[in-house]
Amino acid sequence: LKNCRRRSLYGNFAELPGAAMAAMLVDGPLRDSLFSQVTSDITVAVTAARVADVDATIGAGSRVLLSVDLKGAKVQTETSRPPIDIALIVDVSYSMEHVMTDLRETCLQMFAELREDDRISLVKFSNKATVALALQKKSSIVNFADIADAIKPEGGTNIEIGLRTGIGQLSYGRGFFTLGRESHDTRCAYAVILSDGQPTDGFRNTADLLDSAANNIAAAGR
C-alpha cells in the first residue's frame, strides 16, 4: 500500500475498508504504473483490467477493476542437513522385558525419521552383543520391521560390550574404503543407546563406561 500511494495509484488505499483489499473498483482511466513488489517475506502484485456489463452490482458503464494480490513467504518444511550415520544400540536384557514393546516401537520410529541416504546399524546386547543390522543406507533396507520385531529379552546387561560393538559399526569405511562413493568423513556419526542403565556384567561404573566409549569413538576415528 505504501508503494501504491507513492506511485499515485488512484489515491490513498489505506483509507479503503478491509473488504476492498482483495479486489477494488476504481473510477478513472487505466494507468500504466501498476507494479509487482517482491521482498524476502512477501510478494505484492497489483493488476488492473477494464470491465463492463459483467456484474450488475458494479453499475452500468465501463469500470476499471484493480486487484491486489498478496503472497506470503514459502514455508520451509524440511531443514537441509548432510546425511548421517547412526549406530542404534539396544539393551535386550531381561531387565528390559517390561518395556520390550516400547523398545521395538522406538526403533521403528527412529528408522522412519531417517532420510533415504542416511545410514543405520542396529546392535542388540545383553551379556553379549550381536549386530542385527550392519551399517547401510536406509534406501537399501527392506526388512527393518522384521529386525525390530526379532528383538527379544535375553541374558544380563553388559553396556560396555554393547557400546564397543555399536561404535565399532561407525568405523567401517573410514579413510581407506568408501560406501557408495561417499566416505564417512562427510557424515556426522551418532551412537544412540537404549537401556535401563543398570549393568550387571562388564564395566559397571559410569566413569569407566564413559572412558570406554570415548576410547571406542577415538578408535573409530569419528
Side-chain angles (χ1 to χ4, degrees):
L1 297 180
K2 179 180 178 181
N3 284 325
C4 290
R5 292 196 298 274
R6 178 165 55 81
R7 304 181 78 157
S8 302
L9 283 178
Y10 309 111
N12 191 341
F13 289 130
E15 296 174 0
L16 292 171
M21 289 298 295
M24 291 171 285
L25 188 65
V26 297
D27 291 314
L30 185 63
R31 308 179 73 170
D32 296 328
S33 55
L34 304 183
F35 73 99
S36 177
Q37 179 71 31
V38 180
T39 71
S40 60
D41 298 320
I42 192 170
T43 300
V44 181
V46 180
T47 56
R50 188 179 298 279
V51 297
D53 301 324
V54 175
D55 190 337
T57 60
I58 66 175
S62 176
R63 291 287 191 274
V64 175
L65 186 66
L66 182 66
S67 176
V68 178
D69 296 312
L70 306 178
K71 183 178 181 181
K74 183 179 180 181
V75 177
Q76 187 174 3
T77 57
E78 187 175 88
T79 302
S80 177
R81 64 162 175 79
I84 61 175
D85 287 346
I86 289 185
L88 187 54
I89 307 167
V90 181
D91 183 351
V92 297
S93 63
Y94 278 115
S95 64
M96 296 284 287
E97 186 172 13
H98 65 292
V99 295
M100 200 58 59
T101 299
D102 293 336
L103 186 64
R104 298 187 194 102
E105 183 61 30
T106 299
C107 292
L108 291 173
Q109 289 177 359
M110 291 188 65
F111 182 77
E113 291 298 320
L114 296 178
R115 300 180 186 177
E116 292 300 305
D117 57 348
D118 293 332
R119 295 197 292 242
I120 185 172
S121 169
L122 191 148
V123 171
K124 56 183 182 179
F125 72 93
S126 52
N127 53 343
K128 61 181 181 179
T130 304
V131 179
L133 175 68
L135 186 70
Q136 57 190 282
K137 285 189 176 182
K138 178 182 178 179
S139 59
S140 66
I141 303 171
V142 296
N143 62 336
F144 191 83
D146 294 335
I147 294 172
D149 190 58
I151 295 175
K152 308 293 183 183
E154 61 179 28
T157 306
N158 188 331
I159 294 178
E160 187 275 328
I161 197 172
L163 286 170
R164 173 156 38 95
T165 305
I167 294 172
Q169 284 289 301
L170 299 174
S171 69
Y172 292 163
R174 182 174 175 83
F176 59 88
F177 176 75
T178 60
L179 182 60
R181 297 184 179 180
E182 185 172 26
S183 74
H184 288 267
D185 292 336
T186 65
R187 293 169 173 262
C188 291
Y190 301 89
V192 180
I193 184 167
L194 304 178
S195 174
D196 58 8
Q198 300 295 325
T200 59
D201 292 317
F203 294 155
R204 304 188 187 189
N205 181 275
T206 300
D208 291 337
L209 287 170
L210 291 174
D211 286 342
S212 175
N215 291 335
N216 290 323
I217 292 171
R222 300 305 295 267

